[in-house]
Amino acid sequence: CTPVRTGLRLKQSGETSAEVTAVIGISGRAKGTIVLGMSVEMACEILHRMVGTRVHTVSDEVCDAVGEVTNMIAGSAKSQLAKYELSISLPNVITGNGLQMHFPTNVSPMIVEFKSDIGPLSIEVGFTEI
């Protein structure tokens, strides 16, 4: 699946509308958070496309698949971030509605929105220099 960017905006509140969320920490010369958010349907389709298993609800396997995709995205960014003396953590996958995402104080996170053939997703980014 090839996501296509559909929007870029500043985040207005702490709440996320995503039902499945992968969170990566940024550390080094800056601190912050990167959040990948998607629907349950998209997360289930990721598992299906990765291993062929069809499910319709979030399970440990679905969370593992979302974590792996997030690792792939983070892995591509890792070399670019290293030249800025930044490191990234392993992703944590959390599920639920109305989750509050916290970014460093006085940071206005950006939201990059995408569409794809398996659904919409968003990446929220907020960090500050130490």
Side-chain angles (χ1 to χ4, degrees):
C1 134
T2 304
V4 176
R5 192 176 82 188
T6 59
L8 175 67
R9 62 187 170 87
L10 289 177
K11 187 169 184 162
Q12 301 300 313
S13 70
E15 191 171 306
T16 182
S17 60
E19 300 165 304
V20 179
T21 306
V23 181
I24 297 174
I26 300 283
S27 61
R29 292 188 64 192
K31 67 176 183 173
T33 307
I34 300 172
V35 179
L36 176 69
M38 67 191 70
S39 67
V40 169
E41 294 79 16
M42 182 176 204
C44 292
E45 184 61 22
I46 287 172
L47 175 67
H48 175 69
R49 289 188 180 199
M50 288 181 83
V51 298
T53 301
R54 175 94 43 208
V55 297
H56 301 287
T57 59
V58 175
S59 63
D60 289 343
E61 292 81 15
V62 170
C63 291
D64 288 346
V66 170
E68 185 56 36
V69 166
T70 306
N71 267 331
M72 290 179 208
I73 294 168
S76 344
K78 191 173 187 172
S79 64
Q80 296 297 318
L81 293 173
K83 66 184 173 187
Y84 299 108
E85 298 178 38
L86 297 173
S87 299
I88 55 176
S89 69
L90 293 173
N92 288 305
V93 178
I94 52 178
T95 61
N97 291 315
L99 299 171
Q100 294 288 321
M101 292 296 135
H102 297 276
F103 292 86
T105 305
N106 299 322
V107 170
S108 296
M110 291 186 307
I111 300 176
V112 185
E113 298 166 316
F114 296 88
K115 68 177 181 177
S116 75
D117 62 330
I118 61 173
L121 68 142
S122 65
I123 299 175
E124 300 177 20
V125 179
F127 57 92
T128 186
E129 220 173 343
I130 294 181

